[in-house]
Amino acid sequence: MQQDIIINAIANHAVQHGNKIALRGRDSQFTYAELQAAIQAQQQMWGELNHPKQPTIALAVDNHPAWVVLDLAALASHIPLIPLPFFFSNTQWLHAITDAGVDILVTDQPELFKPLLANNIASQTQWTVAGKTLTQFALKSPAKAVLPTHTAKITYTSGSTGTPKGACLSAGNMMSVATSIADATRLTSNDIHLNVLPLATLLENVAGVYAPLLAGACCVLLPGDDIGLTRATGLDIQKLLNAFVQTQASTAIFTPELLNAMVHQIETGAKLTDTLRFLAVGGASVSLALLKRAQQVSIPVYEGYGLSECASVVALNTPAFNKIGTVGKVLPHLSVSFTDEHEVVVSGNAYLGYVGQTATHAPQIYTGDIGYLDADGYLVISGRKKNIFITSFGRNVSPEWVERELNISPGIAQAALFGEAKPWNTAIIVPGKNSTTAQIKATIQSINHGLPDYARITQWLPADEPFTLNNQQLTANGRNRRDVIWQHYQQKINALYER
């Protein structure tokens, strides 16, 4: 079985160098021998649940060695696992729990979920893994979700809509990526990987845990507060730089916004540990200028590209093959082709399907991204086919979702949201009749309360005039022509980010 690849690798490391540190946290650690034993103990605990059907488990735990133990135990036990990011809204948590038919929720922050689950809790238990107190909520007879055969993990995107789809992945999907990443980045047992992104992020889960463990390396798993990260957008970059020095990390994964902050901090005199040899950056497009600035201050950064439906990474620059302005070479277990409209089509590691689908998904993934292979075989992503934009923190935002909330609010007649490759979002707003600035601000504040933080409106600008057919800012069926609106307001919007 494909899940045995990593379980067997851990077992082999436990035999060959059992005292080698596999996982290191703030106040606990696991050697490879201890990690193997902890996985087996957790398997036994879940094997004694006596569920009439195979349980589906949701995991909402901050970065910690315990997260990895639970994740690997579920993988070894053939239990579908749903990682729940803490940057999701309550609505999105509930949607994922209901949509996937979650039987058990494990969390280190029960105060967030107990009120949310209300009367749906059948029982509650606590236990400790590596000093981390965990609460397990058994839920009352959830509706059995239809999952494709061999589903090992269900990953819900960071909010392309209010109710994102759950992409179902097999162990084989994830191990193919992890193996390719370990080979491409030349991971060894001497590497120390600092897990910067939340482990609930598929990219960090697969490339930042599975790949290092396959190589016998060490993962350093610290809570967000320890490395200067809070929720989706809070950042103390000096604290993060200090974490690199303290952990002597050799590899890490960043979003473009984190890279931008690091570059600026180093340009103003901060120091970066000389142990860092490979800093992957992905989750959203990275500007050529930023990558060049990173090179000038000797940050070993390599851009990559991927999507959940391919179990994360599709292409990656490496020390052996690095070309700024591209997302690197396509990983060896994959191939790409292009439609007549230049949409990137990925073959070789397609997800199984979405929750609710029984048939295996088609072997090709139409990515919605526009791109091409250059003369040297590097993949270039030049745009997005759909309207979904990705913030510089790597979060997907469907502008229609937020615009819909704005447009149905009193005092707002029309709205258009922008935030591609930006740290926060800006709305262009056509005020309603007789509405005041104070009313619009209050409306935005109210809407923001119901949105996850990466989708919220941070700044807004009053429109020069309504969106109409005459000024070509509206289609015949009443939809925003956002390319035209963007062209009209581009300078004003960009000026907001320069303040």
Side-chain angles (χ1 to χ4, degrees):
M1 300 293 288
Q2 289 293 326
Q3 58 263 39
D4 293 338
I5 291 175
I6 192 163
I7 302 303
N8 288 342
I10 291 169
N12 290 335
H13 298 321
V15 171
Q16 294 170 9
H17 41 84
N19 292 327
K20 172 80 166 57
I21 302 300
L23 309 175
R24 180 152 44 104
R26 176 199 284 175
D27 48 18
S28 64
Q29 63 184 27
F30 283 99
T31 65
Y32 270 95
E34 291 168 339
L35 175 58
Q36 182 187 26
I39 293 169
Q40 292 171 344
Q42 187 61 47
Q43 279 187 267
Q44 182 177 353
M45 176 183 168
W46 278 336
E48 296 170 353
L49 291 174
N50 295 320
H51 263 267
K53 58 184 177 63
Q54 182 189 53
T56 299
I57 297 178
L59 183 60
V61 174
D62 202 357
N63 283 16
H64 188 276
W67 197 104
V68 179
V69 171
L70 296 173
D71 176 74
L72 291 173
L75 193 65
S77 302
H78 308 277
I79 295 174
L81 187 78
I82 302 95
L84 295 178
F86 283 111
F87 54 75
F88 268 18
S89 67
N90 287 358
T91 300
Q92 289 173 321
W93 280 334
L94 277 175
H95 167 71
I97 290 168
T98 304
D99 185 54
V102 169
D103 299 280
I104 294 169
L105 169 69
V106 179
T107 182
D108 60 345
Q109 300 184 40
E111 70 280 2
L112 295 179
F113 291 93
K114 193 167 186 177
L116 188 66
L117 298 172
N119 298 322
N120 195 31
I121 298 172
S123 65
Q124 176 179 338
T125 57
Q126 282 190 330
W127 81 106
T128 301
V129 177
K132 168 73 76 173
T133 299
L134 300 171
T135 299
Q136 178 171 291
F137 294 115
L139 305 185
K140 295 178 181 177
S141 303
K144 181 62 176 175
V146 176
L147 303 180
T149 304
H150 305 306
T151 296
K153 184 157 290 168
I154 305 171
T155 182
Y156 285 86
T157 60
S158 57
S160 56
T161 68
T163 53
K165 292 181 179 179
C168 299
L169 302 169
S170 69
N173 288 145
M174 296 182 286
M175 290 306 113
S176 293
V177 175
T179 302
S180 287
I181 291 294
D183 291 342
T185 60
R186 298 178 181 176
L187 285 169
T188 73
S189 60
N190 294 321
D191 277 304
I192 298 173
H193 182 83
L194 178 61
N195 296 97
V196 175
L197 305 182
L199 292 177
T201 304
L202 184 66
L203 174 60
E204 191 70 71
N205 186 183
V206 174
V209 173
Y210 296 164
L213 292 181
L214 285 175
C218 174
C219 295
V220 180
L221 306 118
L222 301 172
D225 288 346
D226 281 16
I227 58 174
L229 296 175
T230 55
R231 299 307 186 199
T233 58
L235 172 61
D236 181 339
I237 188 59
Q238 188 55 54
K239 206 170 187 179
L240 181 54
L241 284 172
N242 292 343
F244 275 94
V245 174
Q246 292 161 6
T247 62
Q248 296 292 283
S250 59
T251 65
I253 302 170
F254 268 22
T255 60
E257 188 62 25
L258 294 179
L259 178 63
N260 182 49
M262 174 183 274
V263 170
H264 177 76
Q265 195 77 351
I266 294 174
E267 286 174 338
T268 55
K271 301 296 182 183
L272 180 65
T273 177
D274 58 7
T275 59
L276 184 64
R277 70 170 187 84
F278 194 99
L279 181 64
V281 61
S285 59
V286 189
S287 75
L288 186 62
L290 176 59
L291 290 169
K292 289 180 176 178
R293 286 170 56 206
Q295 276 196 338
Q296 289 170 358
V297 294
S298 301
I299 300 174
V301 62
Y302 301 92
E303 185 178 6
Y305 162 79
L307 60 160
S308 296
E309 287 81 359
C310 293
S312 73
V313 188
V314 168
L316 181 66
N317 282 288
T318 65
F321 299 98
N322 185 29
K323 191 172 186 179
I324 286 184
T326 78
V327 294
K329 297 275 190 177
V330 176
L331 294 180
H333 66 281
L334 297 169
S335 63
V336 297
S337 58
F338 306 89
T339 66
D340 292 342
E341 293 79 28
H342 307 290
E343 181 179 0
V344 180
V345 182
V346 183
S347 302
N349 196 36
Y351 70 125
L352 301 174
Y354 292 114
V355 173
Q357 297 178 340
T358 54
T360 300
H361 195 274
Q364 292 183 318
I365 302 298
Y366 289 79
T367 66
D369 294 309
I370 306 301
Y372 60 92
L373 288 176
D374 72 7
D376 297 316
Y378 289 86
L379 180 61
V380 178
I381 302 297
S382 51
R384 294 186 64 77
K385 185 178 179 181
K386 297 181 180 180
N387 291 331
I388 292 172
F389 62 76
I390 305 178
T391 72
S392 59
F393 281 97
R395 305 297 170 218
N396 299 340
V397 180
S398 172
E400 291 92 342
W401 170 31
V402 182
E403 289 162 3
R404 182 176 64 245
E405 301 301 315
L406 290 166
N407 290 337
I408 63 174
S409 303
I412 296 177
Q414 294 172 304
L417 188 77
F418 300 95
E420 175 68 30
K422 303 294 186 184
W424 39 264
N425 306 320
T426 298
I428 303 298
I429 289 178
V430 178
K433 188 176 181 180
N434 299 324
S435 65
T436 65
T437 297
Q439 288 173 331
I440 293 174
K441 286 182 177 179
T443 297
I444 290 174
Q445 185 176 15
S446 176
I447 290 172
N448 280 341
H449 282 313
L451 296 172
D453 55 3
Y454 59 83
R456 291 172 184 161
I457 307 108
T458 299
Q459 295 272 19
W460 68 279
L461 293 169
D464 296 333
E465 59 182 346
F467 311 150
T468 65
L469 285 171
N470 290 337
N471 61 21
Q472 299 185 340
Q473 293 177 6
L474 208 64
T475 65
N477 58 2
R479 296 179 180 175
N480 290 344
R481 292 192 61 186
R482 63 187 65 257
D483 56 335
V484 178
I485 297 171
W486 168 253
Q487 287 298 323
H488 184 84
Y489 294 99
Q490 180 178 3
Q491 289 186 342
K492 289 183 179 180
I493 293 172
N494 285 336
L496 295 175
Y497 296 95
E498 296 168 0
R499 294 178 182 175

